[in-house]
PDB file of all heavy atoms in Angstrom:
ATOM      1  N   ASP A  25    -173.131  57.008 130.011  1.00 95.00           N
ATOM      2  CA  ASP A  25    -172.213  55.935 129.616  1.00 95.00           C
ATOM      3  C   ASP A  25    -172.224  55.715 128.110  1.00 95.00           C
ATOM      4  O   ASP A  25    -171.175  55.583 127.484  1.00 95.00           O
ATOM      5  CB  ASP A  25    -172.566  54.624 130.325  1.00 95.00           C
ATOM      6  CG  ASP A  25    -172.270  54.662 131.812  1.00 95.00           C
ATOM      7  OD1 ASP A  25    -171.574  55.601 132.269  1.00 95.00           O
ATOM      8  OD2 ASP A  25    -172.766  53.765 132.527  1.00 95.00           O
ATOM      9  N   LEU A  26    -173.411  55.690 127.531  1.00 92.00           N
ATOM     10  CA  LEU A  26    -173.545  55.432 126.100  1.00 92.00           C
ATOM     11  C   LEU A  26    -172.950  56.556 125.259  1.00 92.00           C
ATOM     12  O   LEU A  26    -172.255  56.315 124.272  1.00 92.00           O
ATOM     13  CB  LEU A  26    -175.028  55.242 125.745  1.00 92.00           C
ATOM     14  CG  LEU A  26    -175.340  54.915 124.295  1.00 92.00           C
ATOM     15  CD1 LEU A  26    -174.740  53.565 123.910  1.00 92.00           C
ATOM     16  CD2 LEU A  26    -176.847  54.900 124.078  1.00 92.00           C
ATOM     17  N   GLU A  27    -173.205  57.786 125.660  1.00 89.00           N
ATOM     18  CA  GLU A  27    -172.766  58.947 124.878  1.00 89.00           C
ATOM     19  C   GLU A  27    -171.425  59.523 125.331  1.00 89.00           C
ATOM     20  O   GLU A  27    -170.938  60.489 124.748  1.00 89.00           O
ATOM     21  CB  GLU A  27    -173.837  60.038 124.926  1.00 89.00           C
ATOM     22  CG  GLU A  27    -175.164  59.629 124.329  1.00 89.00           C
ATOM     23  CD  GLU A  27    -175.052  59.274 122.852  1.00 89.00           C
ATOM     24  OE1 GLU A  27    -174.233  59.877 122.136  1.00 89.00           O
ATOM     25  OE2 GLU A  27    -175.806  58.380 122.418  1.00 89.00           O
ATOM     26  N   GLN A  28    -170.840  58.940 126.384  1.00 93.00           N
ATOM     27  CA  GLN A  28    -169.563  59.436 126.909  1.00 93.00           C
ATOM     28  C   GLN A  28    -169.639  60.937 127.193  1.00 93.00           C
ATOM     29  O   GLN A  28    -168.824  61.730 126.711  1.00 93.00           O
ATOM     30  CB  GLN A  28    -168.411  59.113 125.953  1.00 93.00           C
ATOM     31  CG  GLN A  28    -168.181  57.631 125.744  1.00 93.00           C
ATOM     32  CD  GLN A  28    -167.780  56.940 127.029  1.00 93.00           C
ATOM     33  OE1 GLN A  28    -166.776  57.288 127.636  1.00 93.00           O
ATOM     34  NE2 GLN A  28    -168.562  55.972 127.462  1.00 93.00           N
ATOM     35  N   CYS A  29    -170.655  61.306 127.954  1.00 91.00           N
ATOM     36  CA  CYS A  29    -170.858  62.712 128.281  1.00 91.00           C
ATOM     37  C   CYS A  29    -171.355  62.827 129.717  1.00 91.00           C
ATOM     38  O   CYS A  29    -171.574  61.825 130.385  1.00 91.00           O
ATOM     39  CB  CYS A  29    -171.883  63.341 127.333  1.00 91.00           C
ATOM     40  SG  CYS A  29    -173.554  62.677 127.576  1.00 91.00           S
ATOM     41  N   ARG A  30    -171.495  64.043 130.178  1.00 91.00           N
ATOM     42  CA  ARG A  30    -172.053  64.311 131.498  1.00 91.00           C
ATOM     43  C   ARG A  30    -173.303  65.150 131.312  1.00 91.00           C
ATOM     44  O   ARG A  30    -173.259  66.199 130.670  1.00 91.00           O
ATOM     45  CB  ARG A  30    -171.027  65.039 132.358  1.00 91.00           C
ATOM     46  CG  ARG A  30    -171.548  65.465 133.694  1.00 91.00           C
ATOM     47  CD  ARG A  30    -170.593  65.113 134.810  1.00 91.00           C
ATOM     48  NE  ARG A  30    -170.937  65.752 136.061  1.00 91.00           N
ATOM     49  CZ  ARG A  30    -171.990  65.423 136.809  1.00 91.00           C
ATOM     50  NH1 ARG A  30    -172.821  64.505 136.407  1.00 91.00           N
ATOM     51  NH2 ARG A  30    -172.221  66.026 137.948  1.00 91.00           N
ATOM     52  N   ILE A  31    -174.412  64.708 131.875  1.00 88.00           N
ATOM     53  CA  ILE A  31    -175.650  65.475 131.809  1.00 88.00           C
ATOM     54  C   ILE A  31    -175.613  66.541 132.888  1.00 88.00           C
ATOM     55  O   ILE A  31    -175.541  66.226 134.082  1.00 88.00           O
ATOM     56  CB  ILE A  31    -176.880  64.560 131.976  1.00 88.00           C
ATOM     57  CG1 ILE A  31    -176.960  63.589 130.812  1.00 88.00           C
ATOM     58  CG2 ILE A  31    -178.158  65.388 132.096  1.00 88.00           C
ATOM     59  CD1 ILE A  31    -178.079  62.583 130.902  1.00 88.00           C
ATOM     60  N   THR A  32    -175.609  67.792 132.467  1.00 88.00           N
ATOM     61  CA  THR A  32    -175.530  68.897 133.423  1.00 88.00           C
ATOM     62  C   THR A  32    -176.827  69.698 133.505  1.00 88.00           C
ATOM     63  O   THR A  32    -176.949  70.573 134.339  1.00 88.00           O
ATOM     64  CB  THR A  32    -174.381  69.852 133.058  1.00 88.00           C
ATOM     65  OG1 THR A  32    -174.595  70.335 131.729  1.00 88.00           O
ATOM     66  CG2 THR A  32    -173.044  69.150 133.135  1.00 88.00           C
ATOM     67  N   MET A  33    -177.788  69.385 132.636  1.00 85.00           N
ATOM     68  CA  MET A  33    -179.065  70.090 132.682  1.00 85.00           C
ATOM     69  C   MET A  33    -179.918  69.519 133.811  1.00 85.00           C
ATOM     70  O   MET A  33    -179.691  68.395 134.263  1.00 85.00           O
ATOM     71  CB  MET A  33    -179.804  69.945 131.359  1.00 85.00           C
ATOM     72  CG  MET A  33    -180.241  68.535 131.048  1.00 85.00           C
ATOM     73  SD  MET A  33    -181.052  68.458 129.450  1.00 85.00           S
ATOM     74  CE  MET A  33    -181.090  66.707 129.190  1.00 85.00           C
ATOM     75  N   PRO A  34    -180.885  70.294 134.287  1.00 86.00           N
ATOM     76  CA  PRO A  34    -181.783  69.755 135.306  1.00 86.00           C
ATOM     77  C   PRO A  34    -182.573  68.567 134.752  1.00 86.00           C
ATOM     78  O   PRO A  34    -183.074  68.616 133.633  1.00 86.00           O
ATOM     79  CB  PRO A  34    -182.735  70.916 135.604  1.00 86.00           C
ATOM     80  CG  PRO A  34    -182.071  72.135 135.069  1.00 86.00           C
ATOM     81  CD  PRO A  34    -181.182  71.681 133.962  1.00 86.00           C
ATOM     82  N   VAL A  35    -182.639  67.492 135.513  1.00 83.00           N
ATOM     83  CA  VAL A  35    -183.430  66.320 135.152  1.00 83.00           C
ATOM     84  C   VAL A  35    -184.464  66.142 136.264  1.00 83.00           C
ATOM     85  O   VAL A  35    -184.117  65.892 137.411  1.00 83.00           O
ATOM     86  CB  VAL A  35    -182.560  65.055 135.012  1.00 83.00           C
ATOM     87  CG1 VAL A  35    -183.419  63.845 134.705  1.00 83.00           C
ATOM     88  CG2 VAL A  35    -181.504  65.249 133.937  1.00 83.00           C
ATOM     89  N   ILE A  36    -185.717  66.308 135.904  1.00 81.00           N
ATOM     90  CA  ILE A  36    -186.800  66.249 136.876  1.00 81.00           C
ATOM     91  C   ILE A  36    -187.579  64.962 136.650  1.00 81.00           C
ATOM     92  O   ILE A  36    -187.988  64.664 135.527  1.00 81.00           O
ATOM     93  CB  ILE A  36    -187.730  67.463 136.706  1.00 81.00           C
ATOM     94  CG1 ILE A  36    -186.927  68.743 136.928  1.00 81.00           C
ATOM     95  CG2 ILE A  36    -188.920  67.378 137.648  1.00 81.00           C
ATOM     96  CD1 ILE A  36    -187.647  69.998 136.515  1.00 81.00           C
ATOM     97  N   PHE A  37    -187.786  64.196 137.712  1.00 79.00           N
ATOM     98  CA  PHE A  37    -188.554  62.968 137.573  1.00 79.00           C
ATOM     99  C   PHE A  37    -189.996  63.244 137.983  1.00 79.00           C
ATOM    100  O   PHE A  37    -190.273  64.062 138.852  1.00 79.00           O
ATOM    101  CB  PHE A  37    -187.947  61.833 138.396  1.00 79.00           C
ATOM    102  CG  PHE A  37    -188.143  61.972 139.877  1.00 79.00           C
ATOM    103  CD1 PHE A  37    -189.201  61.333 140.505  1.00 79.00           C
ATOM    104  CD2 PHE A  37    -187.273  62.728 140.635  1.00 79.00           C
ATOM    105  CE1 PHE A  37    -189.382  61.455 141.868  1.00 79.00           C
ATOM    106  CE2 PHE A  37    -187.455  62.850 141.998  1.00 79.00           C
ATOM    107  CZ  PHE A  37    -188.509  62.219 142.623  1.00 79.00           C
ATOM    108  N   VAL A  38    -190.908  62.566 137.306  1.00 77.00           N
ATOM    109  CA  VAL A  38    -192.329  62.733 137.576  1.00 77.00           C
ATOM    110  C   VAL A  38    -192.953  61.352 137.731  1.00 77.00           C
ATOM    111  O   VAL A  38    -192.935  60.563 136.795  1.00 77.00           O
ATOM    112  CB  VAL A  38    -193.036  63.490 136.423  1.00 77.00           C
ATOM    113  CG1 VAL A  38    -194.522  63.610 136.701  1.00 77.00           C
ATOM    114  CG2 VAL A  38    -192.404  64.838 136.207  1.00 77.00           C
ATOM    115  N   GLU A  39    -193.452  61.064 138.912  1.00 73.00           N
ATOM    116  CA  GLU A  39    -194.168  59.815 139.116  1.00 73.00           C
ATOM    117  C   GLU A  39    -195.642  60.103 138.888  1.00 73.00           C
ATOM    118  O   GLU A  39    -196.255  60.887 139.596  1.00 73.00           O
ATOM    119  CB  GLU A  39    -193.942  59.298 140.529  1.00 73.00           C
ATOM    120  CG  GLU A  39    -192.524  58.821 140.765  1.00 73.00           C
ATOM    121  CD  GLU A  39    -192.383  58.083 142.069  1.00 73.00           C
ATOM    122  OE1 GLU A  39    -193.114  57.094 142.284  1.00 73.00           O
ATOM    123  OE2 GLU A  39    -191.546  58.503 142.867  1.00 73.00           O
ATOM    124  N   HIS A  40    -196.193  59.488 137.842  1.00 68.00           N
ATOM    125  CA  HIS A  40    -197.576  59.764 137.479  1.00 68.00           C
ATOM    126  C   HIS A  40    -198.145  58.569 136.748  1.00 68.00           C
ATOM    127  O   HIS A  40    -197.440  57.870 136.035  1.00 68.00           O
ATOM    128  CB  HIS A  40    -197.629  61.010 136.581  1.00 68.00           C
ATOM    129  CG  HIS A  40    -198.863  61.807 136.754  1.00 68.00           C
ATOM    130  ND1 HIS A  40    -200.061  61.455 136.205  1.00 68.00           N
ATOM    131  CD2 HIS A  40    -199.081  62.958 137.433  1.00 68.00           C
ATOM    132  CE1 HIS A  40    -200.967  62.349 136.523  1.00 68.00           C
ATOM    133  NE2 HIS A  40    -200.399  63.273 137.270  1.00 68.00           N
ATOM    134  N   ASP A  41    -199.449  58.343 136.878  1.00 64.00           N
ATOM    135  CA  ASP A  41    -200.089  57.209 136.219  1.00 64.00           C
ATOM    136  C   ASP A  41    -200.774  57.581 134.916  1.00 64.00           C
ATOM    137  O   ASP A  41    -201.272  56.722 134.209  1.00 64.00           O
ATOM    138  CB  ASP A  41    -201.128  56.570 137.154  1.00 64.00           C
ATOM    139  CG  ASP A  41    -200.468  55.896 138.342  1.00 64.00           C
ATOM    140  OD1 ASP A  41    -199.303  55.492 138.206  1.00 64.00           O
ATOM    141  OD2 ASP A  41    -201.113  55.783 139.387  1.00 64.00           O
ATOM    142  N   ASP A  42    -200.824  58.870 134.586  1.00 62.00           N
ATOM    143  CA  ASP A  42    -201.504  59.294 133.363  1.00 62.00           C
ATOM    144  C   ASP A  42    -200.787  58.786 132.130  1.00 62.00           C
ATOM    145  O   ASP A  42    -199.558  58.681 132.095  1.00 62.00           O
ATOM    146  CB  ASP A  42    -201.588  60.818 133.277  1.00 62.00           C
ATOM    147  CG  ASP A  42    -202.625  61.380 134.223  1.00 62.00           C
ATOM    148  OD1 ASP A  42    -203.406  60.589 134.783  1.00 62.00           O
ATOM    149  OD2 ASP A  42    -202.645  62.602 134.401  1.00 62.00           O
ATOM    150  N   GLU A  43    -201.557  58.488 131.093  1.00 58.00           N
ATOM    151  CA  GLU A  43    -200.998  57.983 129.845  1.00 58.00           C
ATOM    152  C   GLU A  43    -200.070  58.986 129.189  1.00 58.00           C
ATOM    153  O   GLU A  43    -199.121  58.621 128.507  1.00 58.00           O
ATOM    154  CB  GLU A  43    -202.136  57.637 128.881  1.00 58.00           C
ATOM    155  CG  GLU A  43    -201.658  56.959 127.624  1.00 58.00           C
ATOM    156  CD  GLU A  43    -202.811  56.547 126.734  1.00 58.00           C
ATOM    157  OE1 GLU A  43    -203.771  55.947 127.254  1.00 58.00           O
ATOM    158  OE2 GLU A  43    -202.742  56.841 125.532  1.00 58.00           O
ATOM    159  N   ILE A  44    -200.303  60.275 129.400  1.00 54.00           N
ATOM    160  CA  ILE A  44    -199.454  61.301 128.771  1.00 54.00           C
ATOM    161  C   ILE A  44    -197.994  61.133 129.178  1.00 54.00           C
ATOM    162  O   ILE A  44    -197.089  61.446 128.432  1.00 54.00           O
ATOM    163  CB  ILE A  44    -199.969  62.713 129.080  1.00 54.00           C
ATOM    164  CG1 ILE A  44    -199.280  63.717 128.165  1.00 54.00           C
ATOM    165  CG2 ILE A  44    -199.755  63.078 130.534  1.00 54.00           C
ATOM    166  CD1 ILE A  44    -199.901  65.083 128.176  1.00 54.00           C
ATOM    167  N   PHE A  45    -197.757  60.606 130.381  1.00 59.00           N
ATOM    168  CA  PHE A  45    -196.390  60.442 130.832  1.00 59.00           C
ATOM    169  C   PHE A  45    -195.751  59.166 130.294  1.00 59.00           C
ATOM    170  O   PHE A  45    -194.636  58.837 130.637  1.00 59.00           O
ATOM    171  CB  PHE A  45    -196.311  60.505 132.355  1.00 59.00           C
ATOM    172  CG  PHE A  45    -196.469  61.899 132.877  1.00 59.00           C
ATOM    173  CD1 PHE A  45    -197.660  62.323 133.422  1.00 59.00           C
ATOM    174  CD2 PHE A  45    -195.428  62.796 132.772  1.00 59.00           C
ATOM    175  CE1 PHE A  45    -197.810  63.610 133.876  1.00 59.00           C
ATOM    176  CE2 PHE A  45    -195.561  64.086 133.217  1.00 59.00           C
ATOM    177  CZ  PHE A  45    -196.759  64.500 133.776  1.00 59.00           C
ATOM    178  N   GLU A  46    -196.479  58.437 129.461  1.00 68.00           N
ATOM    179  CA  GLU A  46    -195.893  57.290 128.779  1.00 68.00           C
ATOM    180  C   GLU A  46    -195.251  57.725 127.478  1.00 68.00           C
ATOM    181  O   GLU A  46    -194.852  56.907 126.664  1.00 68.00           O
ATOM    182  CB  GLU A  46    -196.962  56.226 128.527  1.00 68.00           C
ATOM    183  CG  GLU A  46    -197.456  55.591 129.814  1.00 68.00           C
ATOM    184  CD  GLU A  46    -198.522  54.553 129.564  1.00 68.00           C
ATOM    185  OE1 GLU A  46    -198.757  54.187 128.410  1.00 68.00           O
ATOM    186  OE2 GLU A  46    -199.110  54.091 130.548  1.00 68.00           O
ATOM    187  N   ARG A  47    -195.151  59.008 127.243  1.00 72.00           N
ATOM    188  CA  ARG A  47    -194.531  59.578 126.058  1.00 72.00           C
ATOM    189  C   ARG A  47    -193.357  60.450 126.489  1.00 72.00           C
ATOM    190  O   ARG A  47    -193.405  61.091 127.517  1.00 72.00           O
ATOM    191  CB  ARG A  47    -195.513  60.465 125.287  1.00 72.00           C
ATOM    192  CG  ARG A  47    -196.757  59.763 124.837  1.00 72.00           C
ATOM    193  CD  ARG A  47    -196.457  58.994 123.554  1.00 72.00           C
ATOM    194  NE  ARG A  47    -197.649  58.328 123.053  1.00 72.00           N
ATOM    195  CZ  ARG A  47    -197.861  57.029 123.178  1.00 72.00           C
ATOM    196  NH1 ARG A  47    -197.005  56.267 123.800  1.00 72.00           N
ATOM    197  NH2 ARG A  47    -198.939  56.483 122.665  1.00 72.00           N
ATOM    198  N   HIS A  48    -192.319  60.434 125.669  1.00 74.00           N
ATOM    199  CA  HIS A  48    -191.225  61.377 125.865  1.00 74.00           C
ATOM    200  C   HIS A  48    -191.455  62.529 124.905  1.00 74.00           C
ATOM    201  O   HIS A  48    -191.783  62.314 123.740  1.00 74.00           O
ATOM    202  CB  HIS A  48    -189.882  60.709 125.588  1.00 74.00           C
ATOM    203  CG  HIS A  48    -189.482  59.753 126.663  1.00 74.00           C
ATOM    204  ND1 HIS A  48    -188.297  59.073 126.622  1.00 74.00           N
ATOM    205  CD2 HIS A  48    -190.090  59.368 127.796  1.00 74.00           C
ATOM    206  CE1 HIS A  48    -188.192  58.304 127.692  1.00 74.00           C
ATOM    207  NE2 HIS A  48    -189.277  58.466 128.420  1.00 74.00           N
ATOM    208  N   SER A  49    -191.295  63.726 125.385  1.00 78.00           N
ATOM    209  CA  SER A  49    -191.591  64.901 124.568  1.00 78.00           C
ATOM    210  C   SER A  49    -190.434  65.873 124.561  1.00 78.00           C
ATOM    211  O   SER A  49    -189.669  65.968 125.515  1.00 78.00           O
ATOM    212  CB  SER A  49    -192.833  65.619 125.098  1.00 78.00           C
ATOM    213  OG  SER A  49    -193.955  64.775 125.030  1.00 78.00           O
ATOM    214  N   VAL A  50    -190.338  66.597 123.459  1.00 83.00           N
ATOM    215  CA  VAL A  50    -189.406  67.700 123.320  1.00 83.00           C
ATOM    216  C   VAL A  50    -190.236  68.909 122.909  1.00 83.00           C
ATOM    217  O   VAL A  50    -191.036  68.818 121.980  1.00 83.00           O
ATOM    218  CB  VAL A  50    -188.333  67.420 122.235  1.00 83.00           C
ATOM    219  CG1 VAL A  50    -187.467  68.643 122.004  1.00 83.00           C
ATOM    220  CG2 VAL A  50    -187.494  66.221 122.613  1.00 83.00           C
ATOM    221  N   VAL A  51    -190.062  70.007 123.608  1.00 86.00           N
ATOM    222  CA  VAL A  51    -190.777  71.238 123.280  1.00 86.00           C
ATOM    223  C   VAL A  51    -189.748  72.353 123.187  1.00 86.00           C
ATOM    224  O   VAL A  51    -188.934  72.532 124.091  1.00 86.00           O
ATOM    225  CB  VAL A  51    -191.841  71.577 124.351  1.00 86.00           C
ATOM    226  CG1 VAL A  51    -192.535  72.889 124.022  1.00 86.00           C
ATOM    227  CG2 VAL A  51    -192.843  70.451 124.487  1.00 86.00           C
ATOM    228  N   LEU A  52    -189.772  73.077 122.076  1.00 87.00           N
ATOM    229  CA  LEU A  52    -188.898  74.240 121.907  1.00 87.00           C
ATOM    230  C   LEU A  52    -189.771  75.480 121.842  1.00 87.00           C
ATOM    231  O   LEU A  52    -190.747  75.523 121.095  1.00 87.00           O
ATOM    232  CB  LEU A  52    -188.078  74.127 120.618  1.00 87.00           C
ATOM    233  CG  LEU A  52    -187.109  72.947 120.515  1.00 87.00           C
ATOM    234  CD1 LEU A  52    -186.419  72.956 119.152  1.00 87.00           C
ATOM    235  CD2 LEU A  52    -186.098  72.968 121.629  1.00 87.00           C
ATOM    236  N   THR A  53    -189.421  76.483 122.637  1.00 85.00           N
ATOM    237  CA  THR A  53    -190.150  77.748 122.620  1.00 85.00           C
ATOM    238  C   THR A  53    -189.218  78.869 122.202  1.00 85.00           C
ATOM    239  O   THR A  53    -187.993  78.772 122.356  1.00 85.00           O
ATOM    240  CB  THR A  53    -190.743  78.075 124.000  1.00 85.00           C
ATOM    241  OG1 THR A  53    -189.690  78.170 124.954  1.00 85.00           O
ATOM    242  CG2 THR A  53    -191.734  77.016 124.450  1.00 85.00           C
ATOM    243  N   ASP A  54    -189.794  79.945 121.690  1.00 81.00           N
ATOM    244  CA  ASP A  54    -188.987  81.096 121.294  1.00 81.00           C
ATOM    245  C   ASP A  54    -188.876  82.069 122.472  1.00 81.00           C
ATOM    246  O   ASP A  54    -189.456  81.821 123.539  1.00 81.00           O
ATOM    247  CB  ASP A  54    -189.560  81.759 120.036  1.00 81.00           C
ATOM    248  CG  ASP A  54    -190.906  82.412 120.249  1.00 81.00           C
ATOM    249  OD1 ASP A  54    -191.320  82.630 121.403  1.00 81.00           O
ATOM    250  OD2 ASP A  54    -191.566  82.719 119.231  1.00 81.00           O
ATOM    251  N   PRO A  55    -188.113  83.169 122.324  1.00 79.00           N
ATOM    252  CA  PRO A  55    -187.962  84.114 123.435  1.00 79.00           C
ATOM    253  C   PRO A  55    -189.288  84.707 123.916  1.00 79.00           C
ATOM    254  O   PRO A  55    -189.385  85.160 125.058  1.00 79.00           O
ATOM    255  CB  PRO A  55    -187.051  85.199 122.856  1.00 79.00           C
ATOM    256  CG  PRO A  55    -186.250  84.486 121.823  1.00 79.00           C
ATOM    257  CD  PRO A  55    -187.210  83.487 121.216  1.00 79.00           C
TER     258      PRO A  55
END
Side-chain angles (χ1 to χ4, degrees):
D25 290 347
L26 182 64
E27 298 299 327
Q28 298 297 301
C29 68
R30 175 133 168 71
I31 296 177
T32 58
M33 66 182 167
V35 177
I36 300 168
F37 73 96
V38 178
E39 291 191 56
H40 212 282
D41 292 334
D42 286 349
E43 187 176 312
I44 193 168
F45 286 102
E46 292 179 10
R47 301 279 182 256
H48 287 182
S49 298
V50 174
V51 178
L52 298 178
T53 60
D54 67 15

